[in-house]
Amino acid sequence: MPRDYYEVLGVGREAGDDEIKKAFRGLARELHPDINRHDPEAEEKFKHVAEAYEVLSDSERRATYDRYGHEGLRSGGWEPAGASFNDISDIFQAFFGGGDIFGGRGRGGPQRGRDAAVEVSLTLAEVLTGASRDVEFEVTARCSRCNGNGAEPGTPIETCPRCEGTGQLQSMARTVFGQVVRTHVCDRCGGDGRIPATPCEVCRGSGVETRSSALSVDIPAGIEDGQRVRLGGKGHAGTLGGPAGDLYVLVEVEPDPRFERHGDDLITRLDVPFTDAALGAAVSVPTLEGDEQIELDAGSQPATVKRLRGRGLPALRGRGRGDLHVVLNVMIPSRLTDEQRELLQRFAESSNGDTYSSKGGDRLFDRLRQAFRG
Ligand SMILES: [Zn+2]
Ligand SMILES: [Zn+2]
């Protein structure tokens, strides 16, 4: 059995429109979703209050209700609008048209500053060690001439003529419950209610100025291209005492023609003359810490992968380092002298099936797959 609408709003049956509106506003304020967030009981109560107001604020509906009660309304096809909303915030939005509901809270208020961003570029070798960068960037900060109040020093600050000092403007909005007054922040004074008579020369009355800021930023080892480092509170200044935004340092890792990066692992291609591959040799391999000698076995096959453990990159957050994979690119001569051709022909004549039967058999594709894994 639904409760009596007059009882819900706490008014008598003789209450006038103003009294009903006042009662509703009082209850709505009490049950405000910002105050009673996650309180299902408040939400339920507000639905009843909204329903009662929807009926009693409409003279025709109110008359029907007075004569025939809830049944009379239902049989007349009326449904409370509030019942179709899932969420109390939706009801408030429909009712008050969004924005600030009760006034008094909408004076702009402290606002967090915006985030700022800079870009830095690192070489792969710096990714190995981590690096420090001096960055310069522009941020808005409190104006140093007027100390943030927007007035030329020594000139008065006056009441805003647009909002008459209240910091708010009101407009009518249509909602499912009819016309309601919407309150929003004054666009002239930004909710402050006061504006400078003579705007500050530097900031033109805004109270903030753009300043260049310099910082030394530590980029951690192991960072990847496209990642960012956040420096809390180093962004743009907040307003009316709000906190500053953050500074984001976007990191670009310059490509290194010698290495391909796969997470913490590096891959490099090593050109090896076919004679070295066939005979075995000591060859020089590039690493991020300079060249390193490695031994090639006699009969090394194309696309063989030599793994140099721990010669890759460090993990961004963690221990140890990835590996360096060295892929052998066995080079076949493309131009031969007469003498070389003769030598190779003699070599070919002395070759038999055994010459090319490697232990690995035909595992070229396995090796390729291994090289580009991960
Ligand atoms: Zn104003
Ligand atoms: Zn200024």
Side-chain angles (χ1 to χ4, degrees):
M1 181 66 193
R3 283 179 59 203
D4 178 70
Y5 287 147
Y6 292 98
E7 216 176 279
V8 169
L9 289 186
V11 295
R13 301 193 86 83
E14 267 63 60
D17 288 350
D18 281 351
E19 197 185 331
I20 286 170
K21 189 177 280 179
K22 213 175 134 199
F24 170 72
R25 288 205 154 245
L27 285 166
R29 190 177 288 116
E30 219 172 85
L31 302 169
H32 190 280
D34 282 354
I35 299 163
N36 295 287
R37 209 174 282 279
H38 309 307
D39 178 359
E41 215 167 294
E43 184 173 332
E44 209 42 50
K45 266 188 218 155
F46 182 76
K47 279 184 183 170
H48 291 308
V49 167
E51 183 180 325
Y53 181 69
E54 200 183 348
V55 171
L56 298 186
S57 63
D58 181 295
S59 56
E60 212 172 293
R61 272 188 221 131
R62 185 177 174 183
T64 307
Y65 176 70
D66 285 346
R67 290 182 69 183
Y68 307 109
H70 291 286
E71 276 307 305
L73 287 169
R74 296 280 191 274
S75 61
W78 178 81
E79 280 284 331
S84 62
F85 293 115
N86 299 322
D87 180 74
I88 192 167
S89 317
D90 287 351
I91 300 175
F92 269 91
Q93 275 226 319
F95 207 96
F96 298 100
D100 181 54
I101 299 173
F102 301 110
R105 304 168 62 243
R107 295 181 63 89
Q111 295 239 326
R112 182 179 175 277
R114 285 176 301 117
D115 295 331
V118 289
E119 280 184 63
V120 299
S121 186
L122 261 66
T123 64
L124 261 190
E126 287 175 314
V127 172
L128 176 62
T129 55
S132 172
R133 282 283 184 283
D134 293 327
V135 294
E136 256 186 65
F137 53 101
E138 307 254 286
V139 282
T140 54
R142 192 200 293 177
C143 174
S144 51
R145 183 171 174 82
C146 64
N147 209 21
N149 73 12
E152 265 297 279
T155 67
I157 294 179
E158 297 173 339
T159 301
C160 172
R162 188 154 160 75
C163 62
E164 292 169 328
T166 62
Q168 299 163 10
L169 297 173
Q170 299 194 322
S171 62
M172 297 297 279
R174 279 202 57 82
T175 72
V176 289
F177 297 102
Q179 296 252 332
V180 296
V181 177
R182 255 185 91 180
T183 303
H184 44 93
V185 174
C186 173
D187 55 8
R188 174 91 188 266
C189 63
D192 213 24
R194 288 149 62 80
I195 54 168
T198 313
C200 165
E201 267 177 18
V202 171
C203 65
R204 295 206 178 93
S206 69
V208 292
E209 63 176 337
T210 305
R211 211 177 283 166
S212 95
S213 186
L215 271 180
S216 179
V217 183
D218 289 324
I219 312 293
I223 196 132
E224 296 212 34
D225 185 53
Q227 287 183 319
R228 31 184 223 175
V229 175
R230 187 174 68 94
L231 281 85
K234 300 294 185 190
H236 299 288
T239 56
L240 301 176
D246 299 332
L247 174 70
Y248 284 96
V249 181
L250 312 173
V251 177
E252 185 210 13
V253 178
E254 294 162 27
D256 187 319
R258 299 170 302 168
F259 303 105
E260 195 176 311
R261 181 178 185 178
H262 286 261
D264 303 336
D265 286 348
L266 294 173
I267 297 173
T268 189
R269 189 185 83 168
L270 185 67
D271 291 339
V272 178
F274 78 113
T275 43
D276 281 357
L279 301 171
V283 291
S284 178
V285 175
T287 76
L288 285 176
E289 294 137 301
D291 289 351
E292 189 165 313
Q293 293 286 115
I294 62 167
E295 291 292 329
L296 286 188
D297 297 334
S300 285
Q301 300 296 310
T304 296
V305 180
K306 294 270 185 194
R307 185 201 291 239
L308 276 63
R309 288 191 186 277
R311 307 310 297 273
L313 295 167
L316 183 57
R317 270 175 277 279
R319 302 178 305 134
R321 282 172 61 181
D323 301 331
L324 174 62
H325 303 264
V326 182
V327 183
L328 298 191
N329 176 43
V330 176
M331 296 187 295
I332 309 297
S334 50
R335 232 170 303 148
L336 296 171
T337 63
D338 289 347
E339 189 193 0
Q340 286 170 331
R341 185 174 298 105
E342 207 174 297
L343 284 168
L344 281 183
Q345 266 162 1
R346 278 171 55 200
F347 171 77
E349 281 155 18
S350 72
S351 300
N352 57 32
D354 248 14
T355 311
Y356 293 100
S357 72
S358 75
K359 286 163 271 161
D362 188 14
R363 283 174 44 204
L364 175 65
F365 288 103
D366 288 346
R367 289 196 295 270
L368 281 172
R369 232 170 269 130
Q370 197 193 358
F372 295 104
R373 174 186 58 143

